[in-house]
Amino acid sequence: MNDTHSIPSTLHEVHSLIHAPAETVFEILSQVASWHIWQPDVRVLCKGEPLHEGSRFKYSDTGIVINSEVTEFQPFHMIAWKSRSLWMTAEVRFTLEQENGNTLLHYEQELQGFGALLFMPMVRRSMDLLIAQLAKYTSQAVVPVYS
């Protein structure tokens, strides 16, 4: 008998104000091939750019290989993907709201599987680190915005 309620699941959320327009933040998040520039632990192995719903990409973060597929893509507003790695899956969602020239960023990760319990203590720290790296990079970056 397969009881889906017995599979561990955790939801983590971070909300932050980024001092850059939503278009800039979205372009940085959606340019997978450039993630390594602002996330030093990330190595892109296969980029599915330009990203769109259904595109796939593969990267490693601190040595763990992660296979991802974009599940939702709304330019300048939201990007989401489902990732698989080792003994867990993750649903990742970034929602952006323009606010007085800045971006209110909602970042969610829902982890499922036995790896979710193992990685639970590290997830919040890694999400906070990603936001800090993104905020620092957006303050320095000149990113082309494509329509």
Side-chain angles (χ1 to χ4, degrees):
M1 183 183 217
N2 190 1
D3 182 5
T4 57
H5 297 291
S6 64
I7 298 172
S9 178
T10 62
L11 176 65
H12 306 274
E13 298 179 73
V14 176
H15 306 280
S16 184
L17 185 67
I18 305 286
H19 297 290
E23 292 84 1
T24 300
V25 175
F26 186 86
E27 287 298 327
I28 290 169
L29 287 171
S30 66
Q31 292 178 5
V32 175
S34 300
W35 282 0
H36 68 282
I37 295 170
W38 58 278
Q39 296 180 88
D41 291 333
V42 170
R43 190 172 139 237
V44 177
L45 305 172
C46 178
K47 52 193 179 276
E49 291 182 336
L51 287 188
H52 55 83
E53 195 168 316
S55 64
R56 295 174 184 215
F57 58 96
K58 182 178 184 178
Y59 65 101
S60 70
D61 189 351
T62 60
I64 298 171
V65 176
I66 302 165
N67 292 291
S68 301
E69 181 175 350
V70 177
T71 55
E72 296 179 68
F73 191 85
Q74 298 173 17
F76 313 124
H77 300 289
M78 196 261 296
I79 184 170
W81 58 83
K82 187 168 189 172
S83 297
R84 290 175 183 80
S85 179
L86 302 174
W87 354 264
M88 71 178 170
T89 61
E91 292 187 30
V92 178
R93 176 183 315 277
F94 291 94
T95 306
L96 298 81
E97 295 177 39
Q98 188 77 27
E99 188 173 284
N100 299 324
N102 297 308
T103 303
L104 185 56
L105 182 67
H106 306 279
Y107 174 22
E108 301 173 14
Q109 274 199 52
E110 183 174 0
L111 305 176
Q112 189 171 32
F114 295 102
L117 294 177
L118 178 65
F119 287 104
M120 191 168 42
M122 298 182 311
V123 170
R124 181 57 189 246
R125 285 192 305 266
S126 71
M127 291 175 74
D128 288 341
L129 178 61
L130 183 142
I131 294 293
Q133 291 169 329
L134 178 62
K136 181 179 178 184
Y137 185 67
T138 56
S139 70
Q140 303 167 358
V142 176
V143 178
V145 175
Y146 305 102
S147 50

